[in-house]
Every structure is written in C-alpha cells, then in structure tokens.
Amino acid sequence: PEQLSTSPISGTKTLGGGNSKTFMVEFSDGSKGVFKLPLAKEWTEEVPVGGDIIREVAAYEVAKLVGMQDMVPVTTFRTVDGLPGVKGSQRGSLQAFVSGADPAKMVDDDAAFDGERDRRRAAVCDAMIGMLDRHNGNWMVRRSDGKLVLIDHGLSFPTTGYFRTRGFIKREEASLLTDEDRAPWRGTWPTIQAQLEAVGLDRKAVS
C-alpha cells in the first residue's frame, strides 16, 4: 500500500466499464494502478453513497488478515490530480493493476473457476464480506497459471443483515463449506473489526 500511496504518477487515462468513474494510473517506474472515484449516487440501499471506495480498501485489509492477499490486489486510498475530465484533486481507491490476466467472462467456465481450493476460498471470502456484486466481470484469471484474482469490492459489507450474491457462493451451494474452509477466519473477528473501523467503514456495516 505504501508504494501505491507515494509513487510518483506519470500519467492517467479513463477506463470504461463499471458503475464508478475509473482510471488507469501509470507510475514513473512503469507500474500501473486502477483508481476509482466514489459513486456519486446510490446504486443499492445496502451501500451508502461514497462508501464504495472504503469497501474497496476494506476488502483488501480483510484479505491480508485471513491470508488471501494472493487473491486480492493491494488496495489503498489516494488523492490524485489531473484526471481526464475531472476538476481538481480527487480522493479515491487505488488498486494495483493485475497484468497478464483476463476477466473471467473471457475464459471458459472451468478455467474461470480455477481449482477447487481457490474457488472455495473465494466463496468463503464473498460470504464473509457480504459481496453483493460478484459476477464474471468482477474477477480475473491470470494467464500464466490460471490464478484467480478478486476485484471490484465496492458493493460489499452491506449495512443490512441481508445480502444477495452470486458467482462463487452459488457454485458451492451443493457442497457446504467445511470447517477447514472457514479456519483462516476463525478467531480473527476482533482484529478484522478494528481494521474495518480504522479504514472508516460505517458502523452498521461493521456490525
């Protein structure tokens, strides 16, 4: 996160797709990131206006705590100047760009869901963070090794007890998640709660 937060930016360009205004950010060392502005209007009652960028960062912070940082790219907050078509400095979420990967919707079904272990890890993660919007445009598949990479967590951590989801959880409904699947999450709630509050997640979503 520190590198994303401090590396000099050499250029920005607009990216299409999604509900948020999204931009590709290029750093002076040649690396890239995906910068998102907060949503300007409500897309679902479970996520308050502007709360999506907090959830992008929160998902990564939780992934670190449960050993899933191999599946969720580094994500942090940053203020960026000079965005195309946007006036002034803007604060948003900045995620490390995943090179050499394709959206799951561009690969065949078996490859999109990878091997059983990562598929089940993704299912548990989505259940635990209340992911509302997991579809095959919201995870990537790395070309070199077929590794799953989970992205676009702005619609997660709902403020109500109800959440709808799809993708990995539905894929696993026929085979209930086991104690082994849940093991990395067991006993971590106090630490997770503290980290969610630290990044600014609203109290309803934390509870």
Side-chain angles (χ1 to χ4, degrees), residues 192-205:
I192 289 174
Q193 181 179 14
Q195 191 59 43
L196 293 178
E197 292 173 350
V199 301
L201 194 65
D202 41 293
R203 189 171 296 275
K204 283 186 176 180

Side-chain angles (χ1 to χ4, degrees), residues 49-136:
V49 174
D52 52 307
I53 63 169
I54 296 173
R55 285 155 171 80
E56 293 278 5
V57 176
Y60 169 68
E61 293 296 334
V62 170
K64 282 197 304 182
L65 292 172
V66 298
M68 286 192 61
Q69 62 267 44
D70 62 315
M71 295 182 68
V72 180
V74 176
T75 312
T76 191
F77 297 113
R78 182 156 181 175
T79 298
V80 177
D81 298 311
L83 296 169
V86 179
K87 294 181 179 179
S89 301
Q90 300 291 329
R91 183 176 186 263
S93 63
L94 181 60
Q95 185 173 84
F97 176 68
V98 182
S99 60
D102 297 310
K105 62 185 177 183
M106 294 178 61
V107 302
D108 65 65
D109 194 56
D110 287 340
F113 285 92
D114 193 16
E116 181 177 351
R117 180 172 182 270
D118 276 354
R119 184 171 71 238
R120 295 174 74 87
R121 291 172 72 207
V124 176
C125 181
D126 280 359
M128 297 301 286
I129 70 172
M131 179 62 176
L132 303 174
D133 192 35
R134 182 71 70 206
H135 55 76
N136 61 5

